[in-house]
Amino acid sequence: MKHLLSYGIFLISASASASVWTYDDCVDYALAHNISLQKAVLDERTAAIDLDEAKAQWQPTLDFATTHGYSNTPWGEGAHNSYTSSYGVNAAWTVWNGGQRENTIKRDRVLAEISSLTTQNTVRSLRTDLLQVYINLLYAREAIGIYEEALRLSTARAERSRALMEAGKASRVDYAQLCSQQEQDNYALVNAQSSYDTRRMELKQLLELGINGDIEPADIDWTSEQVLAQLPPIDESYRLAIANDLQLRSLDLQLQRADIDVAIAKAGAMPRIALTAGIGTGYNAPGSAFGSSIKRNLSESLGLTLSIPILDNRKTKAAVARARVQQLDAQLDTDSRNTELARMVETWYIDTRSAQARYSAADRQLLSAQLSAELTDEQFALGLINTVELMTAHNDLTEARRSLLQAKYMAMLGQKMIEYYRTASVSLN
């Protein structure tokens, strides 16, 4: 709980009014404001309350009871009206109930640990969700620059073609085709800006920012060496992922809980011993004075009760059977989580290696496309090629830039996710 409270201290530099947010700023803000995390913390508090309640079952119960009555006998002999009252203090303590009390405390302690792990896992999930959205946001913003450059070039060519057409040195067909390319680049730029706004909205939702909240990601400059960095051994990453996974720890505790539930269910067939004690008195009117009546009627009691269940309509057997089913279900969940971890780790390795390979290929393709675009532009200026070939070279260059950018961010996202599985933490620095 102290660890979680430390998350609630949000850095002033990441306030909602800030325009530039680093990834760490986003994490700090989300840990203080994310609703799912706050709900997880409340569930953890509830589990702690349940554990305190279970521990209190070792204490005896104590209560005070008083009863008052009035009766009227209009045709009776003597006094027609009477008043009776009783006063008592009663205590009870369960000496033995088949171990149910002890096992309930064990179960609630396990549930409190599970709840704590759930909260910690929510924090981790929040970090990785922010990581993926943040990197996608960086990619979307940089993609805007690619399409802005493409639009700048196509606009300049269209303007130049218009001037040549007006001078009688270019045809209307060439001008129309270059105008079409300009509109195509403008449409691509609008889509890129829309994609950026969508990614930013997703980040704001994770941060629980209002509709008027403004946010811009901080610049991150990754070199080619970082993008193409060698990945650690996959089998080592898988072992570390299993060792650091909080869900597996929680499932192990679920198995323990299932074992305890079986013991609690079996306690239903055990004898029960309870100790009771009480002190009471009463007063009747008409009669003696209140004080003397209370003194004369004072009584003390002490009792021991032994209860041996014989038939309970199969309630105990059904409870044991349900608890054993929970054991099997918890084991299946554990096996499923191990399989899921293996799949996720392998998938990130495949995606990251593929992105690195695409990055290397796209880097070479970009050099070729840049050279081709320069030569094509010179040939078009000399009238050696038509506008279709010019537009093709232009689109190839734009696509090469986009492919390189996409591969770069996919490779870095994969590396960071692999880092998360290995260390249970992640940073963009």
Side-chain angles (χ1 to χ4, degrees):
M1 182 62 68
K2 292 181 180 179
H3 178 66
L4 292 170
L5 289 177
S6 66
Y7 283 135
I9 304 175
F10 174 62
L11 299 178
I12 299 176
S13 61
S15 63
S17 59
S19 58
V20 177
W21 294 50
T22 65
Y23 169 72
D24 290 336
D25 290 337
C26 293
V27 170
D28 290 332
Y29 188 91
L31 293 178
H33 296 83
N34 184 264
I35 293 177
S36 296
L37 179 57
Q38 293 180 29
K39 285 181 174 291
V41 172
L42 292 179
D43 290 339
E44 188 176 350
R45 292 179 183 175
T46 300
I49 294 171
D50 292 339
L51 177 59
D52 291 339
E53 183 183 15
K55 291 178 179 179
Q57 300 308 306
W58 277 103
Q59 302 173 7
T61 61
L62 180 66
D63 65 83
F64 168 78
T66 179
T67 303
H68 300 265
Y70 174 81
S71 62
N72 178 35
T73 54
W75 293 284
E77 297 180 356
H80 299 294
N81 301 314
S82 63
Y83 166 77
T84 59
S85 63
S86 63
Y87 310 88
V89 177
N90 303 295
W93 181 58
T94 300
V95 180
W96 170 253
N97 62 351
Q100 185 177 24
R101 180 171 46 195
E102 297 89 334
N103 286 318
T104 299
I105 294 175
K106 291 179 182 179
R107 182 192 62 188
D108 287 351
R109 183 176 289 114
V110 168
L111 289 175
E113 293 179 23
I114 292 174
S115 183
S116 176
L117 287 174
T118 300
T119 302
Q120 297 175 46
N121 193 61
T122 302
V123 171
R124 289 191 181 182
S125 297
L126 190 57
R127 287 179 180 272
T128 55
D129 290 345
L130 285 169
L131 174 69
Q132 296 184 53
V133 173
Y134 195 89
I135 290 181
N136 285 333
L137 183 61
L138 290 173
Y139 163 71
R141 184 177 65 178
E142 197 166 341
I144 292 176
I146 292 176
Y147 293 111
E148 284 178 340
E149 176 64 16
L151 178 60
R152 186 188 66 79
L153 290 174
S154 60
T155 300
R157 286 169 179 164
E159 290 296 327
R160 180 184 176 191
S161 178
R162 182 181 63 82
L164 291 174
M165 181 190 67
E166 292 175 351
K169 296 181 180 181
S171 67
R172 293 180 61 85
V173 173
D174 290 341
Y175 175 65
Q177 288 177 331
L178 291 176
C179 286
S180 175
Q181 179 67 62
Q182 178 188 9
E183 293 302 323
Q184 179 181 338
D185 290 339
N186 184 63
Y187 181 78
L189 176 60
V190 170
N191 280 339
Q193 292 171 335
S194 176
S195 178
Y196 176 72
D197 290 338
T198 301
R199 300 288 86 77
R200 185 166 58 177
M201 179 191 67
E202 292 174 355
L203 182 58
K204 288 168 60 177
Q205 287 177 339
L206 283 175
L207 298 176
E208 307 294 347
L209 283 175
I211 192 171
N212 295 323
D214 188 19
I215 183 170
E216 292 290 339
D219 293 328
I220 299 179
D221 186 18
W222 285 313
T223 64
S224 296
E225 290 75 15
Q226 289 176 292
V227 175
L228 299 175
Q230 184 177 1
L231 300 180
I234 186 173
D235 55 343
E236 180 184 83
S237 296
Y238 176 57
R239 289 195 301 271
L240 290 173
I242 291 178
N244 293 322
D245 189 63
L246 294 180
Q247 290 191 42
L248 277 178
R249 296 185 200 175
S250 179
L251 289 171
D252 288 340
L253 291 175
Q254 291 285 6
L255 282 171
Q256 295 181 29
R257 175 201 171 181
D259 293 337
I260 296 172
D261 284 340
V262 171
I264 292 175
K266 289 182 177 179
M270 298 288 185
R272 301 186 177 216
I273 302 175
L275 182 65
T276 59
I279 180 171
T281 185
Y283 169 70
N284 299 321
S288 59
F290 179 80
S292 59
S293 177
I294 291 294
K295 181 179 179 180
R296 186 176 59 255
N297 292 327
L298 182 66
S299 65
E300 299 172 337
S301 64
L302 182 65
L304 184 67
T305 302
L306 172 64
S307 175
I308 303 176
I310 299 176
L311 296 174
D312 64 351
N313 299 320
R314 292 185 60 87
K315 290 182 179 179
T316 300
K317 289 184 178 180
V320 172
R322 280 192 292 268
R324 295 198 183 282
V325 169
Q326 291 177 357
Q327 282 181 314
L328 297 175
D329 186 63
Q331 184 60 57
L332 290 175
D333 286 340
T334 300
D335 296 340
S336 176
R337 180 58 182 173
N338 279 312
T339 302
E340 183 183 10
L341 273 178
R343 178 187 61 79
M344 290 190 296
V345 170
E346 186 173 9
T347 298
W348 280 114
Y349 266 82
I350 293 173
D351 292 346
T352 304
R353 286 168 177 164
S354 175
Q356 289 177 326
R358 292 199 308 271
Y359 180 84
S360 297
D363 191 30
R364 294 190 297 269
Q365 182 185 16
L366 178 59
L367 293 176
S368 176
Q370 286 174 335
L371 179 59
S372 177
E374 291 173 1
L375 293 175
T376 302
D377 195 50
E378 293 175 1
Q379 290 176 326
F380 180 76
L382 297 173
L384 300 177
I385 61 173
N386 57 33
T387 54
V388 174
E389 292 173 297
L390 179 66
M391 293 165 59
T392 300
H394 174 82
N395 290 332
D396 289 344
L397 178 59
T398 301
E399 179 60 23
R401 288 172 173 168
R402 188 201 64 81
S403 297
L404 181 66
L405 184 66
Q406 184 182 55
K408 168 187 172 181
Y409 281 103
M410 284 298 298
M412 292 309 303
L413 174 60
Q415 289 183 44
K416 295 303 178 181
M417 288 302 298
I418 291 172
E419 176 187 341
Y420 160 75
Y421 284 115
R422 292 173 61 86
T423 65
S425 63
V426 66
S427 173
L428 294 187
N429 298 329

